[in-house]
Amino acid sequence: MSGKRPLILGLGGTVRAGSTSERALAAALRAAEAAGAETRLLGGEFLSSLPIFDPRPGDAHPAQQLLADAVRAADGVIVASPGYHGSISGVVKNALDTLELTRNDPAPYFQGKAVGCVICADGWQAAGTTLTALRSIIHALRGWPTPFGAALNAGGPLFDEAGECREPKDAWQLATVAGQVVEFAKMKAAL
């Protein structure tokens, strides 16, 4: 990566276009760009096109292959999920399960990558438990969860019509996650 901007992949959202978690992910990716990264978003529309991961041998669906290749190419990742009943959504979990396609790679799953976690939930309890669940999954996938994880309380509107955070504290959280992912990617490239 030396001499080029790090590529940060944003993965997440819901099947609903313009969901709060996808808007949060887009805001985090804008912050990553401001920190010097290139970005790519695989949002809710993409996630809803992924078939349920089947671990039996066979050919990968084109969307599954696209996801695996996007993670391989990324220098860092930001995952955003809504909090559904105290944990991550099914479409985000299915995407993470799909990374099993990389299990035989020299650097499988998220190995060697910083992974930022963004959670949008209706209440602080759900935000906290969902963030803990996502961080545990990132560890299981050999990723480096950033020291800070963003937990946004979606009990009220978080974004304005332009997609910007209504509250400075939420913008700070998303920028902090993005900045840590970019910083780690740049440090790793310097090794």
Side-chain angles (χ1 to χ4, degrees):
M1 187 180 84
S2 181
K4 75 175 188 80
R5 295 172 12 173
L7 175 61
I8 306 303
L9 174 66
L11 178 65
T14 72
V15 296
R16 182 174 51 84
S19 69
T20 302
S21 55
E22 188 167 329
R23 293 175 87 182
L25 181 57
L29 290 177
R30 288 192 300 275
E33 289 170 0
E38 293 181 38
T39 63
R40 179 174 187 188
L41 173 66
L42 295 179
E45 183 178 344
F46 172 79
L47 294 176
S48 64
S49 74
L50 278 175
I52 297 295
F53 179 70
D54 182 346
R56 294 175 293 188
D59 293 332
H61 183 276
Q64 292 172 317
Q65 193 61 55
L66 188 152
L67 173 60
D69 291 342
V71 169
R72 288 176 178 124
D75 299 301
V77 181
I78 300 173
V79 178
S81 177
Y84 285 171
H85 307 287
S87 193
I88 65 174
S89 70
V91 294
V92 171
K93 181 64 166 80
N94 182 52
L96 297 173
D97 289 346
T98 299
L99 297 182
E100 190 63 19
L101 294 175
T102 68
R103 73 180 168 269
N104 293 322
D105 288 5
Y109 316 114
F110 291 132
Q111 184 170 321
K113 299 178 195 308
V115 182
C117 301
V118 175
I119 302 301
C120 296
D122 192 7
W124 292 117
Q125 181 176 352
T129 58
T130 304
L131 180 59
T132 299
L134 182 56
R135 291 172 69 81
S136 294
I137 293 166
I138 300 308
H139 274 289
L141 291 170
R142 303 182 192 177
W144 295 77
T146 56
F148 185 81
L152 307 181
N153 187 341
L158 295 175
F159 299 95
D160 63 21
E161 297 75 28
E164 298 299 323
C165 293
R166 292 182 184 272
E167 297 291 332
K169 65 178 175 49
D170 295 334
W172 177 87
Q173 287 193 72
L174 297 173
T176 299
V177 167
Q180 289 179 352
V181 171
V182 173
E183 181 181 10
F184 184 91
K186 287 179 177 179
M187 285 189 302
K188 187 165 186 284
L191 296 177

